[in-house]
Short mmCIF file of all heavy atoms in Angstrom, two decimals:
data_model
loop_
_atom_site.label_atom_id
_atom_site.label_comp_id
_atom_site.label_asym_id
_atom_site.label_seq_id
_atom_site.Cartn_x
_atom_site.Cartn_y
_atom_site.Cartn_z
N PRO A 1 0.83 -1.28 -0.03
CA PRO A 1 -0.01 0.00 0.03
C PRO A 1 0.84 1.28 -0.03
O PRO A 1 0.44 2.24 -0.56
CB PRO A 1 -0.74 -0.13 1.29
CG PRO A 1 -0.16 -1.08 2.18
CD PRO A 1 0.46 -2.09 1.16
N LEU A 2 2.09 1.22 0.52
CA LEU A 2 2.84 2.41 0.59
C LEU A 2 3.47 2.65 -0.81
O LEU A 2 3.53 3.72 -1.26
CB LEU A 2 4.11 2.21 1.55
CG LEU A 2 5.11 3.36 1.66
CD1 LEU A 2 4.33 4.58 2.14
CD2 LEU A 2 6.18 3.00 2.69
N TYR A 3 3.72 1.57 -1.57
CA TYR A 3 4.10 1.66 -2.96
C TYR A 3 3.05 2.28 -3.84
O TYR A 3 3.31 3.18 -4.61
CB TYR A 3 4.48 0.19 -3.55
CG TYR A 3 4.68 0.17 -4.94
CD1 TYR A 3 5.93 0.49 -5.55
CD2 TYR A 3 3.56 -0.05 -5.91
CE1 TYR A 3 6.10 0.49 -6.89
CE2 TYR A 3 3.76 -0.07 -7.13
CZ TYR A 3 5.04 0.16 -7.75
OH TYR A 3 5.30 0.24 -8.99
N GLN A 4 1.87 1.96 -3.61
CA GLN A 4 0.69 2.57 -4.21
C GLN A 4 0.56 3.92 -3.99
O GLN A 4 0.29 4.78 -4.87
CB GLN A 4 -0.61 1.82 -3.83
CG GLN A 4 -0.66 0.37 -4.21
CD GLN A 4 -0.60 0.05 -5.65
OE1 GLN A 4 -0.94 0.91 -6.55
NE2 GLN A 4 -0.23 -1.08 -6.16
N ARG A 5 0.82 4.43 -2.79
CA ARG A 5 0.70 5.76 -2.38
C ARG A 5 1.84 6.60 -3.06
O ARG A 5 1.73 7.75 -3.47
CB ARG A 5 0.69 5.88 -0.88
CG ARG A 5 0.62 7.38 -0.43
CD ARG A 5 0.42 7.39 1.05
NE ARG A 5 0.33 8.85 1.48
CZ ARG A 5 -0.91 9.54 1.43
NH1 ARG A 5 -1.92 8.90 0.98
NH2 ARG A 5 -0.95 10.73 1.91
N LEU A 6 3.01 6.00 -3.01
CA LEU A 6 4.20 6.73 -3.61
C LEU A 6 4.20 6.87 -5.13
O LEU A 6 4.86 7.73 -5.72
CB LEU A 6 5.52 6.13 -3.22
CG LEU A 6 5.86 6.13 -1.66
CD1 LEU A 6 7.08 5.27 -1.30
CD2 LEU A 6 6.11 7.48 -1.13
N THR A 7 3.45 6.00 -5.72
CA THR A 7 3.43 6.10 -7.22
C THR A 7 1.97 6.60 -7.72
O THR A 7 1.66 6.52 -8.89
CB THR A 7 3.54 4.59 -7.82
OG1 THR A 7 2.61 3.74 -7.21
CG2 THR A 7 4.95 4.14 -7.48
N ARG A 8 1.27 7.33 -6.86
CA ARG A 8 0.01 7.78 -7.15
C ARG A 8 -0.04 8.86 -8.31
O ARG A 8 -0.90 9.16 -9.06
CB ARG A 8 -0.84 8.26 -6.03
CG ARG A 8 -0.30 9.45 -5.35
CD ARG A 8 -0.98 9.83 -3.98
NE ARG A 8 -0.56 11.05 -3.50
CZ ARG A 8 0.50 11.00 -2.69
NH1 ARG A 8 1.18 9.96 -2.40
NH2 ARG A 8 0.92 12.31 -2.12
N ASP A 9 1.21 9.62 -8.28
CA ASP A 9 1.28 10.69 -9.37
C ASP A 9 1.99 10.35 -10.61
O ASP A 9 2.19 11.12 -11.47
CB ASP A 9 2.15 11.80 -8.65
CG ASP A 9 1.41 12.45 -7.49
OD1 ASP A 9 0.24 12.51 -7.50
OD2 ASP A 9 2.06 12.91 -6.54
N VAL A 10 2.33 8.95 -10.68
CA VAL A 10 3.04 8.46 -11.93
C VAL A 10 2.03 8.27 -12.98
O VAL A 10 1.06 7.54 -12.65
CB VAL A 10 3.88 7.32 -11.59
CG1 VAL A 10 4.59 6.80 -12.89
CG2 VAL A 10 4.94 7.57 -10.51
N ASP A 11 2.21 8.70 -14.17
CA ASP A 11 1.22 8.43 -15.30
C ASP A 11 1.56 7.02 -15.89
O ASP A 11 2.61 6.75 -16.41
CB ASP A 11 1.55 9.51 -16.41
CG ASP A 11 1.17 10.88 -15.93
OD1 ASP A 11 0.28 10.97 -15.07
OD2 ASP A 11 1.71 11.80 -16.64
N GLY A 12 0.57 6.13 -15.55
CA GLY A 12 0.78 4.73 -16.02
C GLY A 12 1.61 3.96 -15.02
O GLY A 12 2.17 4.44 -13.97
N GLN A 13 1.66 2.64 -15.27
CA GLN A 13 2.41 1.74 -14.24
C GLN A 13 3.79 1.78 -14.60
O GLN A 13 4.28 1.96 -15.73
CB GLN A 13 1.83 0.39 -14.34
CG GLN A 13 0.34 0.14 -13.85
CD GLN A 13 -0.03 -1.28 -13.87
OE1 GLN A 13 0.41 -2.07 -14.81
NE2 GLN A 13 -0.76 -1.77 -12.82
N LEU A 14 4.67 1.64 -13.55
CA LEU A 14 6.05 1.61 -13.63
C LEU A 14 6.43 0.21 -14.25
O LEU A 14 5.75 -0.79 -13.94
CB LEU A 14 6.81 1.73 -12.31
CG LEU A 14 6.58 3.15 -11.61
CD1 LEU A 14 7.18 3.13 -10.30
CD2 LEU A 14 7.09 4.22 -12.44
N GLN A 15 7.46 0.20 -14.98
CA GLN A 15 7.88 -1.02 -15.71
C GLN A 15 8.91 -1.84 -14.79
O GLN A 15 9.68 -1.30 -14.09
CB GLN A 15 8.53 -0.70 -17.03
CG GLN A 15 7.53 -0.07 -18.00
CD GLN A 15 8.22 0.25 -19.32
OE1 GLN A 15 9.29 -0.11 -19.55
NE2 GLN A 15 7.41 0.88 -20.39
N LEU A 16 8.85 -3.14 -15.10
CA LEU A 16 9.82 -4.01 -14.52
C LEU A 16 10.51 -4.75 -15.54
O LEU A 16 10.00 -5.12 -16.68
CB LEU A 16 9.09 -5.14 -13.64
CG LEU A 16 8.30 -4.68 -12.45
CD1 LEU A 16 7.59 -5.91 -11.77
CD2 LEU A 16 9.26 -4.02 -11.39
N LEU A 17 11.88 -4.83 -15.43
CA LEU A 17 12.75 -5.36 -16.42
C LEU A 17 13.09 -6.84 -16.13
O LEU A 17 13.75 -7.63 -16.98
CB LEU A 17 14.03 -4.61 -16.64
CG LEU A 17 13.85 -3.15 -17.01
CD1 LEU A 17 15.21 -2.59 -17.18
CD2 LEU A 17 13.13 -3.13 -18.43
N GLY A 18 12.72 -7.30 -14.99
CA GLY A 18 12.87 -8.64 -14.55
C GLY A 18 12.00 -9.09 -13.47
O GLY A 18 11.40 -8.31 -12.84
N PRO A 19 11.74 -10.40 -13.32
CA PRO A 19 10.84 -10.97 -12.19
C PRO A 19 11.28 -10.60 -10.82
O PRO A 19 10.37 -10.50 -9.92
CB PRO A 19 10.81 -12.47 -12.43
CG PRO A 19 12.07 -12.70 -13.17
CD PRO A 19 12.43 -11.45 -14.00
N THR A 20 12.55 -10.37 -10.58
CA THR A 20 12.94 -10.08 -9.17
C THR A 20 13.06 -8.48 -8.89
O THR A 20 13.34 -8.10 -7.82
CB THR A 20 14.32 -10.60 -8.96
OG1 THR A 20 15.28 -9.95 -9.83
CG2 THR A 20 14.37 -12.22 -9.13
N ASP A 21 12.77 -7.75 -10.01
CA ASP A 21 12.89 -6.26 -9.77
C ASP A 21 11.93 -5.78 -8.65
O ASP A 21 12.22 -4.81 -7.88
CB ASP A 21 12.51 -5.44 -11.05
CG ASP A 21 13.75 -5.55 -11.97
OD1 ASP A 21 14.71 -6.13 -11.61
OD2 ASP A 21 13.67 -4.98 -13.02
N VAL A 22 10.75 -6.26 -8.57
CA VAL A 22 9.69 -5.88 -7.64
C VAL A 22 10.16 -6.23 -6.13
O VAL A 22 9.80 -5.32 -5.20
CB VAL A 22 8.29 -6.53 -7.93
CG1 VAL A 22 8.29 -8.08 -7.61
CG2 VAL A 22 7.17 -5.98 -7.01
N ILE A 23 10.87 -7.28 -6.05
CA ILE A 23 11.46 -7.58 -4.66
C ILE A 23 12.41 -6.49 -4.24
O ILE A 23 12.37 -5.99 -3.07
CB ILE A 23 12.08 -8.84 -4.62
CG1 ILE A 23 11.17 -9.96 -5.05
CG2 ILE A 23 12.69 -9.20 -3.35
CD1 ILE A 23 9.97 -10.14 -4.02
N TRP A 24 13.22 -6.10 -5.23
CA TRP A 24 14.27 -5.01 -4.87
C TRP A 24 13.61 -3.68 -4.61
O TRP A 24 14.02 -2.92 -3.69
CB TRP A 24 15.29 -4.80 -6.05
CG TRP A 24 16.25 -5.99 -6.01
CD1 TRP A 24 16.46 -6.98 -6.87
CD2 TRP A 24 17.28 -6.11 -5.11
NE1 TRP A 24 17.51 -7.77 -6.63
CE2 TRP A 24 18.02 -7.42 -5.46
CE3 TRP A 24 17.71 -5.52 -4.00
CZ2 TRP A 24 19.14 -7.83 -4.70
CZ3 TRP A 24 18.78 -6.09 -3.17
CH2 TRP A 24 19.50 -7.25 -3.68
N VAL A 25 12.54 -3.40 -5.40
CA VAL A 25 11.80 -2.15 -5.17
C VAL A 25 11.14 -2.13 -3.64
O VAL A 25 11.29 -1.20 -3.06
CB VAL A 25 10.70 -1.96 -6.19
CG1 VAL A 25 9.79 -0.76 -5.83
CG2 VAL A 25 11.42 -1.69 -7.52
N TYR A 26 10.47 -3.26 -3.41
CA TYR A 26 9.86 -3.28 -2.13
C TYR A 26 10.93 -3.22 -0.96
O TYR A 26 10.64 -2.66 0.16
CB TYR A 26 9.08 -4.60 -1.92
CG TYR A 26 7.69 -4.62 -2.72
CD1 TYR A 26 6.95 -5.59 -2.84
CD2 TYR A 26 7.37 -3.38 -3.42
CE1 TYR A 26 5.65 -5.61 -3.48
CE2 TYR A 26 6.09 -3.30 -3.98
CZ TYR A 26 5.27 -4.47 -4.16
OH TYR A 26 4.10 -4.34 -4.76
N PHE A 27 12.04 -3.84 -1.10
CA PHE A 27 13.00 -3.82 -0.18
C PHE A 27 13.59 -2.38 0.03
O PHE A 27 14.01 -2.06 1.11
CB PHE A 27 14.25 -4.78 -0.60
CG PHE A 27 14.05 -6.10 0.20
CD1 PHE A 27 13.88 -7.38 -0.62
CD2 PHE A 27 14.08 -6.28 1.49
CE1 PHE A 27 13.73 -8.57 -0.08
CE2 PHE A 27 13.95 -7.49 2.12
CZ PHE A 27 13.76 -8.59 1.33
N MET A 28 13.80 -1.67 -1.16
CA MET A 28 14.23 -0.37 -1.02
C MET A 28 13.38 0.50 -0.15
O MET A 28 13.80 1.38 0.66
CB MET A 28 14.47 0.30 -2.42
CG MET A 28 15.76 -0.19 -3.10
SD MET A 28 16.07 0.94 -4.61
CE MET A 28 14.81 0.29 -5.69
N ILE A 29 11.98 0.47 -0.43
CA ILE A 29 11.04 1.12 0.38
C ILE A 29 11.12 0.80 1.78
O ILE A 29 11.08 1.66 2.77
CB ILE A 29 9.68 1.00 -0.24
CG1 ILE A 29 9.58 1.46 -1.67
CG2 ILE A 29 8.61 1.68 0.61
CD1 ILE A 29 8.34 1.11 -2.41
N ALA A 30 10.96 -0.51 2.10
CA ALA A 30 11.02 -1.09 3.42
C ALA A 30 12.31 -0.64 4.08
O ALA A 30 12.25 -0.49 5.36
CB ALA A 30 10.83 -2.48 3.39
N GLY A 31 13.47 -0.66 3.35
CA GLY A 31 14.74 -0.29 3.93
C GLY A 31 14.79 1.05 4.54
O GLY A 31 15.27 1.36 5.68
N VAL A 32 14.17 2.05 3.81
CA VAL A 32 14.06 3.43 4.33
C VAL A 32 13.26 3.47 5.59
O VAL A 32 13.73 4.22 6.48
CB VAL A 32 13.58 4.39 3.11
CG1 VAL A 32 13.39 5.79 3.80
CG2 VAL A 32 14.43 4.47 1.92
N ILE A 33 12.25 2.84 5.62
CA ILE A 33 11.39 2.82 6.86
C ILE A 33 12.11 2.19 7.97
O ILE A 33 12.10 2.66 9.12
CB ILE A 33 10.06 2.05 6.64
CG1 ILE A 33 9.24 2.73 5.40
CG2 ILE A 33 9.27 1.90 7.91
CD1 ILE A 33 8.02 1.93 5.09
N ALA A 34 12.80 1.05 7.67
CA ALA A 34 13.60 0.45 8.78
C ALA A 34 14.77 1.28 9.33
O ALA A 34 15.02 1.26 10.39
CB ALA A 34 14.08 -0.91 8.22
N ILE A 35 15.42 2.00 8.43
CA ILE A 35 16.45 2.93 8.82
C ILE A 35 15.88 3.95 9.81
O ILE A 35 16.47 4.28 10.73
CB ILE A 35 17.12 3.59 7.63
CG1 ILE A 35 18.00 2.59 6.82
CG2 ILE A 35 17.99 4.76 8.04
CD1 ILE A 35 18.52 3.09 5.54
N ALA A 36 14.72 4.58 9.45
CA ALA A 36 14.09 5.64 10.26
C ALA A 36 13.72 5.03 11.57
O ALA A 36 13.88 5.79 12.64
CB ALA A 36 12.83 6.13 9.59
N VAL A 37 13.22 3.87 11.71
CA VAL A 37 12.88 3.15 12.95
C VAL A 37 14.19 2.89 13.76
O VAL A 37 14.27 3.12 15.01
CB VAL A 37 12.14 1.90 12.67
CG1 VAL A 37 12.07 1.17 14.06
CG2 VAL A 37 10.81 2.26 12.14
N THR A 38 15.25 2.51 12.98
CA THR A 38 16.47 2.04 13.66
C THR A 38 17.35 3.25 14.24
O THR A 38 18.14 3.13 15.13
CB THR A 38 17.39 1.14 12.77
OG1 THR A 38 16.47 0.15 12.30
CG2 THR A 38 18.53 0.59 13.36
N MET A 39 17.26 4.46 13.66
CA MET A 39 18.08 5.57 13.84
C MET A 39 18.14 5.91 15.48
O MET A 39 19.15 5.96 16.10
CB MET A 39 17.65 6.74 13.14
CG MET A 39 17.91 6.65 11.69
SD MET A 39 19.77 6.77 11.32
CE MET A 39 20.11 8.53 11.59
N PRO A 40 17.00 6.03 16.07
CA PRO A 40 17.14 6.36 17.61
C PRO A 40 17.61 5.25 18.44
O PRO A 40 18.33 5.33 19.39
CB PRO A 40 15.61 6.75 17.87
CG PRO A 40 14.82 6.09 16.81
CD PRO A 40 15.63 6.10 15.58
N ILE A 41 17.30 3.95 17.88
CA ILE A 41 17.90 2.80 18.68
C ILE A 41 19.34 2.68 18.55
O ILE A 41 19.99 2.51 19.47
CB ILE A 41 17.18 1.52 18.03
CG1 ILE A 41 15.71 1.46 18.19
CG2 ILE A 41 17.76 0.22 18.80
CD1 ILE A 41 15.13 1.60 19.46
N ALA A 42 19.86 2.97 17.32
CA ALA A 42 21.25 3.09 17.13
C ALA A 42 21.97 4.10 17.96
O ALA A 42 23.01 3.93 18.54
CB ALA A 42 21.55 3.29 15.60
N GLY A 43 21.17 5.21 18.05
CA GLY A 43 21.72 6.40 18.86
C GLY A 43 21.76 5.92 20.34
O GLY A 43 22.81 6.30 21.09
#
């Protein structure tokens, strides 16, 4: 659902060049969220 919100302004669907691309995209989004959560714990 976060992916859907972040791409709401994109005209048309984003393209994938391989079957594993979607996994990397989801991991990039989840990674930023995880970093934000981890920052105070790391501090």
